[in-house]
Amino acid sequence: MATAMKKSPVMTETALIVEGGAMRGIYSAGVLDEFISADFYPFDWCFGVSAGASNAAAYLGKKHGRNYQVITDYCRRPEFKSVRRFFTGGHLIDIDWLWDVTERELDLGLDEVNKHKGKFLVVLTDAETAEPAYIAPEVDEVFQAVKCSAAMPIAFRNRVSLRGRDWLDGGVADSLPVKEAYRRGARKIVVIRSNPASYRKQAYRLRHLFPMIMRQYPAAAKRLQLRHIEYNESLDFIRNPPADCEVIEMCPPESFSAGQFTTDLDILDDAYRMGQEDGQQFLQNWLT
């Protein structure tokens, strides 16, 4: 776990930000399960991005172990991920299937989530403009909002709609919404990352192909070509926040080996335990 801080003499609102990262979200699941076990809910705002939106929702719903089960069971099934299906014109990952089956079979605790109405923000990317949106879902919109936030372009081919608009993965436009949390008044911000502290995003090697591959989303294709710049600018904010803001950054250790599409159960279990250990240490530091 790494931290970067600037202390303010007067603390105002607090925010929790949970980054995405597909299967790398197993680390955040471990951290947040420790928060649930400790009944630790001090945050005025909770932002979830992509897989981080699912983790954040289960945290607010007080559903310990839910996302561990989603990642280590459902996300490892062939119905969810299939390279063969992708190369024959289908989805690499089928989030329609994943969200439908987990909505039926795994309670999310919507009554608890609804207690944070207006303060739980799911980060989405407008499919037409590629601008970020920070949606506070109604209770009957939570599953659809989380699905929209995880709609990875290219890997998932269907359109995902909410409130009359089509959306893409929130990480396209704002992977680490620290600036938005600050803009909304948060002056103590906890960020749960899905990569070690040393990670900085590099430009996609095949970015010149994005306009061709994503013809239906030209604005998003252009934004993805610049994603490394925006991502690293957010990291710079985390490491050097304004003088009136404290940012606490939680990162997996450098030995973290889970990848975006890792299915090896031993690796995923190790990553989850890393999150649990860091969550326990964080709570000790916060509560003492």
Side-chain angles (χ1 to χ4, degrees):
M1 177 173 68
T3 63
M5 302 183 185
K6 272 197 175 182
K7 292 188 178 180
S8 168
V10 179
M11 287 300 176
T12 54
E13 293 192 344
T14 59
L16 174 67
I17 294 172
V18 189
E19 187 181 9
M23 302 295 267
R24 292 195 303 266
I26 191 74
Y27 171 80
S28 297
V31 172
L32 293 173
D33 276 352
E34 293 304 308
F35 287 7
I36 294 170
S37 294
D39 196 29
F40 181 71
Y41 291 88
F43 304 105
D44 299 295
W45 300 92
C46 184
F47 293 78
V49 186
S50 192
S54 177
N55 280 338
Y59 162 64
L60 296 177
K62 298 187 175 183
K63 291 301 175 181
H64 186 284
R66 184 186 190 276
N67 280 332
Y68 173 83
Q69 188 172 355
V70 170
I71 294 170
T72 61
D73 179 2
Y74 293 86
C75 288
R76 295 173 63 240
R77 298 185 191 183
E79 293 94 334
F80 176 61
K81 180 191 171 191
S82 172
V83 175
R84 177 179 294 181
R85 180 178 61 207
F86 180 68
F87 283 112
T88 56
H91 310 300
L92 176 61
I93 56 170
D94 189 345
I95 64 169
D96 279 336
W97 174 83
L98 180 66
W99 262 257
D100 290 348
V101 69
T102 54
E103 182 176 6
R104 291 196 308 270
E105 298 181 4
L106 298 177
D107 183 22
L108 188 60
L110 288 176
D111 288 343
E112 289 293 333
V113 175
N114 200 41
K115 292 178 181 179
H116 302 270
K117 180 179 177 181
K119 296 297 186 177
F120 172 38
L121 299 176
V122 180
V123 182
L124 312 176
T125 299
D126 188 298
E128 181 179 354
T129 67
E131 290 299 313
Y134 309 92
I135 299 293
E138 299 292 331
V139 67
D140 61 347
E141 295 178 319
V142 170
F143 274 97
Q144 190 66 12
V146 172
K147 182 193 289 189
C148 289
S149 188
M152 294 174 63
I154 303 174
F156 182 68
R157 301 182 190 274
N158 284 357
R159 292 179 180 270
V160 187
S161 300
L162 178 69
R163 300 182 182 179
R165 299 191 70 85
D166 291 338
W167 305 96
L168 298 173
D169 191 302
V172 173
D174 196 355
S175 296
L176 294 167
V178 285
K179 295 177 184 177
E180 180 64 19
Y182 183 81
R183 189 188 70 79
R184 289 175 182 256
R187 293 298 181 266
K188 185 167 187 174
I189 304 171
V190 177
V191 184
I192 306 179
R193 302 269 315 283
S194 57
N195 283 295
S198 62
Y199 175 83
R200 288 183 72 86
K201 187 170 286 297
Q202 302 299 312
Y204 293 112
R205 286 179 293 178
L206 299 178
R207 62 190 181 279
H208 62 284
L209 298 178
F210 289 169
M212 179 181 67
I213 297 172
M214 300 175 60
R215 293 188 188 92
Q216 70 273 44
Y217 304 123
K222 183 177 295 185
R223 189 139 200 169
L224 279 171
Q225 290 177 315
L226 302 174
R227 188 182 177 213
H228 61 292
I229 297 173
E230 295 183 328
Y231 186 94
N232 292 333
E233 285 175 348
S234 294
L235 285 184
D236 292 339
F237 183 100
I238 290 171
R239 306 288 166 76
N240 188 29
D244 64 343
C245 181
E246 176 185 6
V247 179
I248 304 173
E249 180 186 11
M250 300 185 68
C251 299
E254 295 299 321
S255 60
F256 186 73
S257 60
Q260 195 173 25
F261 297 116
T262 295
T263 57
D264 185 299
L265 188 57
D266 289 336
I267 292 175
L268 294 172
D269 278 340
D270 283 345
Y272 178 74
R273 284 191 291 269
M274 290 173 184
Q276 289 180 300
E277 291 169 3
D278 283 355
Q280 292 165 10
Q281 185 62 53
F282 176 91
L283 289 169
Q284 289 178 16
N285 293 340
W286 184 288
L287 299 173
T288 56

